[in-house]
């Protein structure tokens, strides 16, 4: 069957809108205003400020794509992974708050609004990030449906720590800092850019795809496919981000463009140029589509993983 026929009748915009709406409702439910009010306001300001919600939708899509284990058959996979999706978006939001602080990227604009520290001050922004990080763990562990096997939940919680900590996002941010200013000096090559992208951005994206499948009890083979697809998608997402930094506007992106070049950041573009980055994206798209086809994650009625890969590459913000 041709790709265009397979997509017929599948409305990706509707698919993603519906899942975003469910995520927003759950975030509201899991993070109501409480005492101390200022802290909760600052946490809610960032986590409820929109964003594409790509990571959460990836976790939902993988939960929907896999064969659930026997005891979960007949359950709504999206409902089962909602606490996981909220945890992922809380971790993501906290990383954006901290990334924007004056001691790191020092940014004024995020998701088209003043950054958290511009509204609440640096100390409160730091603490709002800390609060969201721990809240993510609390929501995942306390709100996940008891029908999910404890071992699956434990594996997911452990992997979230791994993807977020020193061998994931935090480590990637440190690598990024160490090589900022070095682009063009000959010190930055493909291996370095890959290492930065894989940990800083890729680890949480890979986790998002893998964890939806893991909670549902997917087979080892399906989890391996999700993990590899997550790596491809994570790298493709970050290369697209690097390209948008040179082609996008503050209005379309909701954040300040042009910062990578201004600070000589180690990006795919700094090593291979714009055309090299675009070629790499085409190769990755083809590899991802092939992988989805060859795995048992290919659902002709709802080609969401392929659509999400293409969305990550062709997005304008
Ligand atoms: C995780 C403990 C802990 C600390 C954070 C600051 C830091 C350590 C890491 C930085 C991570 C970071 C900001 C990576 C960049 C990832 C990236 C491309 C973010 C933009 O993601 P989008 O485009 O944003 O999905 P939206 O707004 O759509 O959600």
């Amino acid at each position: 069957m041709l790709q265009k026929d397979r997509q017929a009748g599948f409305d990706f915009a509707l698919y993603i809108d519906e899942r975003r709406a469910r995520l927003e409702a759950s975030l509201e439910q899991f993070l109501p205003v409480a005492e101390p009010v200022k802290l909760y306001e600052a946490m809610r300001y960032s986590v409820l400020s929109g964003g594409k919600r790509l990571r959460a939708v990836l976790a939902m899509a993988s939960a929907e794509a896999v064969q659930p284990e026997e005891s979960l058959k007949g359950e709504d996979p999206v409902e089962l992974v909602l606490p996981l999706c909220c945890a992922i978006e809380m971790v993501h939001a906290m990383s954006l708050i901290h990334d924007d602080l004056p001691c790191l990227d020092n940014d004024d604009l995020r998701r088209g609004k003043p950054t958290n520290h511009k509204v609440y001050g640096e100390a409160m922004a730091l603490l709002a990030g800390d609060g969201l990080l721990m809240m993510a763990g609390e929501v995942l562990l306390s709100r996940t449906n008891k029908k999910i096997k404890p071992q699956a939940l434990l594996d997911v919680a452990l992997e979230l720590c791994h993807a977020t900590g020193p061998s994931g996002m935090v480590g990637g941010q440190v690598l990024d800092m160490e090589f900022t200013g070095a682009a063009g000096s000959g010190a930055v090559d493909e291996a370095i850019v890959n290492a930065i992208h894989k940990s800083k951005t890729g680890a949480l994206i890979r986790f998002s795809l893998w964890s939806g499948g893991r909670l549902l009890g997917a087979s080892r083979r399906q989890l391996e496919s999700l993990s590899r697809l997550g790596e491809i998608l994570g790298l493709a997402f970050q290369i697209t981000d690097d390209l948008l930094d040179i082609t996008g506007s503050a209005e379309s992106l909701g954040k300040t463009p042009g910062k990578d070049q201004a600070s000589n950041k180690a990006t795919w573009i700094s090593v291979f140029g714009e055309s090299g980055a675009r070629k790499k994206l085409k190769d990755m798209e083809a590899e991802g589509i092939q992988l989805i086809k060859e795995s048992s994650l290919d659902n002709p009625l709802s080609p969401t993983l392929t659509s999400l890969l293409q969305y990550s590459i062709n997005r304008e913000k």
Side-chain angles (χ1 to χ4, degrees):
M1 205 187 279
L2 291 172
Q3 189 68 19
K4 89 174 160 43
D5 295 331
R6 295 159 47 80
Q7 307 259 357
F10 175 68
D11 186 337
F12 180 65
L14 184 67
Y15 171 89
I16 203 164
D17 277 356
E18 279 178 1
R19 276 144 192 83
R20 279 178 183 144
R22 292 181 74 177
L23 175 85
E24 303 298 333
S26 288
L27 282 169
E28 270 289 350
Q29 183 198 341
F30 296 147
L31 192 54
V33 184
E35 291 286 348
V37 171
K38 211 56 197 168
L39 172 65
Y40 276 84
E41 264 178 28
M43 288 159 68
R44 285 169 55 87
Y45 177 80
S46 288
V47 90
L48 297 169
S49 63
K52 293 179 289 297
R53 306 305 196 189
L54 175 70
R55 293 156 188 80
V57 177
L58 287 173
M60 294 178 193
S62 67
E64 291 177 283
V66 299
Q67 286 290 330
E69 63 182 78
E70 214 43 49
S71 61
L72 298 175
K73 287 202 170 123
E75 299 287 335
D76 173 2
V78 172
E79 191 69 28
L80 290 174
V81 296
L82 274 172
L84 165 68
C85 295
C86 291
I88 292 172
E89 287 294 325
M90 285 177 186
V91 170
H92 173 53
M94 79 72 57
S95 79
L96 300 180
I97 297 174
H98 283 194
D99 193 51
D100 290 333
L101 284 170
C103 60
L104 289 173
D105 265 9
N106 192 18
D107 240 309
D108 296 348
L109 190 67
R110 174 68 70 181
R111 294 174 170 169
K113 290 176 24 177
T115 45
N116 197 293
H117 65 273
K118 284 277 152 193
V119 179
Y120 297 96
E122 272 181 61
M124 190 57 81
L126 184 79
L127 293 164
D130 294 344
L132 282 171
L133 186 62
M134 296 319 292
M135 190 87 181
E138 190 180 326
V139 165
L140 175 67
L141 293 169
S142 68
R143 303 293 193 121
T144 296
N145 192 311
K146 298 286 177 274
K147 287 181 181 155
I148 298 283
K149 288 243 164 76
Q151 187 60 52
L153 184 56
L154 198 62
D155 286 357
V156 164
L158 182 63
E159 197 56 38
L160 178 58
C161 296
H162 195 67
T164 306
S167 47
M169 199 191 275
V170 177
Q173 177 64 22
V174 171
L175 271 184
D176 183 307
M177 277 161 48
E178 282 177 356
F179 284 96
T180 292
S185 68
V188 177
D189 58 13
E190 181 173 355
I192 287 175
V193 176
N194 258 335
I196 296 172
H197 286 0
K198 198 173 170 185
S199 45
K200 191 180 102 169
T201 315
L204 190 61
I205 291 183
R206 189 199 71 84
F207 168 79
S208 302
L209 256 184
W210 172 87
S211 56
R214 179 67 191 100
L215 274 194
L216 269 282
S219 67
R220 188 137 60 114
R221 196 172 153 258
Q222 287 198 318
L223 290 175
E224 277 166 14
S225 299
L226 285 173
S227 197
R228 175 67 194 132
L229 182 63
E231 273 174 24
I232 294 172
L233 210 143
L235 184 56
F237 179 90
Q238 184 58 56
I239 295 176
T240 305
D241 216 66
D242 296 347
L243 282 164
L244 288 173
D245 186 68
I246 57 170
T247 59
S249 63
E251 201 184 13
S252 64
L253 298 175
K255 61 182 181 183
T256 320
K259 291 196 79 174
D260 295 349
Q261 226 167 357
S263 58
N264 254 347
K265 261 203 177 189
T267 65
W268 201 272
I269 298 170
S270 75
V271 178
F272 295 103
E274 187 179 338
S275 62
R278 291 197 190 282
K279 170 157 188 336
K280 178 74 180 170
L281 276 180
K282 281 224 166 323
D283 292 349
M284 299 191 80
E285 181 178 353
E287 191 185 341
I289 289 174
Q290 189 62 23
L291 179 82
I292 296 167
K293 274 195 191 135
E294 282 167 4
S295 67
S296 46
L297 300 163
D298 196 19
N299 179 355
L301 296 174
S302 126
T304 48
L305 293 177
T306 305
S307 306
L308 283 163
L309 173 66
Q310 289 169 333
Y311 169 78
S312 305
I313 291 173
N314 300 320
R315 66 200 167 92
E316 284 167 7
K317 62 176 188 172

